[in-house]
Amino acid sequence: MTPERYQRLRSVLDRRQPDLTVVTDNVHKGRNLSAIVRTADAAGVAEMHAVIGDQDYRAFRGTAMGSHSWVKVHRHPDIATVITDLQAQGFQVLAAHTDDQAVDYREPDYTRPTAVLLGAEKRGVSELACSLADAHITIAMQGMVQSYNVSVAGGIILSEAQYQRQRAGFYDRPRLAPEVYQRTLFEWAHP
Amino acid sequence: MTPERYQRLRSVLDRRQPDLTVVTDNVHKGRNLSAIVRTADAAGVAEMHAVIGDQDYRAFRGTAMGSHSWVKVHRHPDIATVITDLQAQGFQVLAAHTDDQAVDYREPDYTRPTAVLLGAEKRGVSELACSLADAHITIAMQGMVQSYNVSVAGGIILSEAQYQRQRAGFYDRPRLAPEVYQRTLFEWAHP
Ligand SMILES: C[S@@+](CC[C@H](N)C(=O)[O-])C[C@H]1O[C@@H](n2cnc3c(N)ncnc32)[C@H](O)[C@@H]1O
Ligand SMILES: C[S@@+](CC[C@H](N)C(=O)[O-])C[C@H]1O[C@@H](n2cnc3c(N)ncnc32)[C@H](O)[C@@H]1O
């Protein structure tokens, strides 16, 4: 490992956001999940949560982005536990889901501990997950098509979260707990 | 065609933006191009421009989104002509390309006639296209990965264009030339 590489790892860890995460509710296509992980990395997300079947998970791990990821993707058997666990840790869970109660995705305060919940390609966010979420957020669409590709929707929402956090100086000083920082640095430096 | 359907077509045409477009410089994966078309539709883009090889174009047309699209995708043999033609029509061409001269993607005035230029998955925007563009724009990334998936990058940039145009009231009154409006309505109503 060159000194430059080591500095790069540190500079990325300096910007990791322990209180920003993404939850995927049965997003099953490996390439969509990979694009979401890549986008989450760009926003400084350190850990994600995915409810996904065995076969789909294997396919995801097989994609180039899945096989070596800078974002830890935790698998969970059911969505309700993920949501209530995050809420118990103080996260607001924002379901990306267009319905009557949805607010514009720019409205929430993303400097609060926040989990962005994304739904399946066909079915969307499940009814159970929608009912447990703290709010529903929607991206206005001006055209004929009724929804974005899930990774595009995730990118648009995370870019707003990142923007708010940039303005609040959240990328200007380390925010990971020291022991998490050191452990991750060790893992990244010794793959 | 039900009256509701007819009204829906009209309401989308009422929001089409003749002075907002997307140019793809050798984006060759059909699913990426499809996701870009879907995202362009959501921002009210009526016509797009793609430089793409024969085989890749056939693959794109074969995808579900490509086969029936609400956005006209024009094919071009070379990128230079597309860019200079758009500039001759008064468009600013913004190359999504991260380099020293790039400005934050939120800086440009997207209420001006604007073409967003997106690059190939591996190679990015070509040197020729970069040199012809009016400006380079970049989306800040806080993680290890150096670039977004091209359709995610397109979604983030177009969501900013859409936001600026929403605030300026660009979706509140019809903006297509009357003859284009009528012709498109006829085509959509009689597929
Ligand atoms: C292809 S969409 C699912 C569409 C599904 N038919 C529905 O009605 O929910 C996949 C996921 O992307 C996200 N998404 C797509 N478009 C969105 C929008 N305009 N606003 C908010 N989230 C969106 C949501 O999380 C959604 O569950
Ligand atoms: C996968 S990227 C290409 C990466 C390529 N290696 C390069 O260096 O340009 C595909 C396209 O997405 C767009 N893109 C991806 N990330 C971007 C970013 N952070 N800022 C601006 N455009 C981006 C650009 O148009 C780029 O050409």
Side-chain angles (χ1 to χ4, degrees):
Chain A
M1 162 133 354
T2 62
E4 291 74 23
R5 178 75 176 168
Y6 190 71
Q7 275 317 313
R8 167 117 181 97
L9 297 180
R10 290 196 65 111
S11 117
V12 167
L13 281 174
D14 287 346
R15 287 173 284 162
R16 280 303 198 226
Q17 308 285 310
D19 52 0
L20 179 64
T21 190
V22 174
V23 180
T24 58
D25 183 6
N26 284 291
V27 171
H28 55 82
K29 283 191 193 153
R31 59 173 181 265
N32 282 338
L33 199 50
S34 292
I36 294 168
V37 174
R38 182 172 172 184
T39 307
D41 169 76
V45 168
E47 307 194 20
M48 277 183 45
H49 305 275
V51 175
I52 184 171
D54 285 338
Q55 207 183 325
D56 294 328
Y57 185 68
R58 275 195 300 274
F60 160 67
R61 298 299 305 181
T63 63
M65 287 298 306
S67 55
H68 182 141
S69 169
W70 304 100
V71 179
K72 267 199 190 126
V73 182
H74 300 283
R75 271 188 81 190
H76 300 273
D78 76 296
I79 191 72
T81 315
V82 186
I83 295 176
T84 53
D85 277 0
L86 283 166
Q87 287 168 331
Q89 290 167 51
F91 280 74
Q92 61 175 342
V93 176
L94 306 178
H97 186 73
T98 305
D99 63 7
D100 292 349
Q101 58 179 113
V103 299
D104 186 87
Y105 76 100
R106 285 186 167 88
E107 267 186 38
D109 177 0
Y110 291 94
T111 64
R112 288 178 50 193
T114 300
V116 175
L117 171 62
L118 299 170
E121 287 81 356
K122 287 239 164 83
R123 205 188 55 168
V125 178
S126 60
E127 236 175 278
L128 176 61
C130 274
S131 70
L132 290 168
D134 296 286
H136 299 180
I137 53 178
T138 183
I139 311 161
M141 303 185 77
Q142 308 289 357
M144 283 302 292
V145 181
Q146 312 268 5
S147 67
Y148 291 95
N149 170 283
V150 59
S151 63
V152 173
I156 294 172
I157 294 165
L158 286 173
S159 73
E160 174 64 20
Q162 184 181 330
Y163 183 54
Q164 291 190 14
R165 284 173 176 247
Q166 265 166 226
R167 279 181 306 181
F170 276 33
Y171 299 103
D172 302 340
R173 50 188 161 71
R175 303 189 62 247
L176 290 181
E179 65 277 15
V180 176
Y181 189 111
Q182 289 308 330
R183 184 176 7 102
T184 313
L185 182 60
F186 184 84
E187 287 169 11
W188 285 6
H190 306 85
Chain B
M1 162 130 354
T2 62
E4 290 74 23
R5 179 74 175 169
Y6 190 74
Q7 274 317 312
R8 168 116 181 96
L9 298 180
R10 289 198 65 112
S11 116
V12 167
L13 281 174
D14 287 347
R15 287 173 285 162
R16 279 305 198 227
Q17 308 286 309
D19 52 0
L20 180 64
T21 190
V22 174
V23 179
T24 59
D25 183 6
N26 284 293
V27 171
H28 54 83
K29 283 190 193 153
R31 58 172 182 266
N32 282 340
L33 198 50
S34 291
I36 294 169
V37 175
R38 183 173 170 183
T39 306
D41 169 76
V45 168
E47 307 193 22
M48 277 183 46
H49 304 275
V51 174
I52 184 173
D54 284 339
Q55 208 183 325
D56 294 329
Y57 185 69
R58 275 195 299 275
F60 160 67
R61 297 299 305 181
T63 63
M65 287 300 305
S67 54
H68 183 142
S69 168
W70 303 100
V71 179
K72 267 200 191 126
V73 181
H74 299 284
R75 272 188 81 190
H76 300 272
D78 77 295
I79 192 71
T81 315
V82 186
I83 295 176
T84 52
D85 276 359
L86 283 166
Q87 287 167 331
Q89 291 168 50
F91 280 73
Q92 61 175 341
V93 176
L94 306 178
H97 186 74
T98 305
D99 63 8
D100 292 348
Q101 57 179 113
V103 299
D104 186 87
Y105 76 101
R106 284 186 167 88
E107 266 185 40
D109 177 359
Y110 291 93
T111 64
R112 289 179 51 192
T114 300
V116 175
L117 172 62
L118 299 169
E121 286 80 357
K122 288 239 164 82
R123 204 189 55 168
V125 178
S126 60
E127 235 176 280
L128 177 60
C130 273
S131 70
L132 291 169
D134 297 287
H136 298 180
I137 53 177
T138 182
I139 311 162
M141 302 184 77
Q142 309 289 357
M144 283 301 291
V145 182
Q146 311 267 8
S147 68
Y148 291 96
N149 169 285
V150 60
S151 64
V152 173
I156 294 172
I157 294 165
L158 285 175
S159 73
E160 175 63 20
Q162 183 180 331
Y163 183 55
Q164 290 190 15
R165 284 173 176 247
Q166 266 165 224
R167 280 182 304 181
F170 277 32
Y171 299 103
D172 301 340
R173 51 188 160 71
R175 303 189 62 247
L176 290 181
E179 64 278 13
V180 176
Y181 189 112
Q182 290 308 329
R183 184 178 5 103
T184 314
L185 183 58
F186 184 85
E187 287 168 11
W188 285 7
H190 306 85

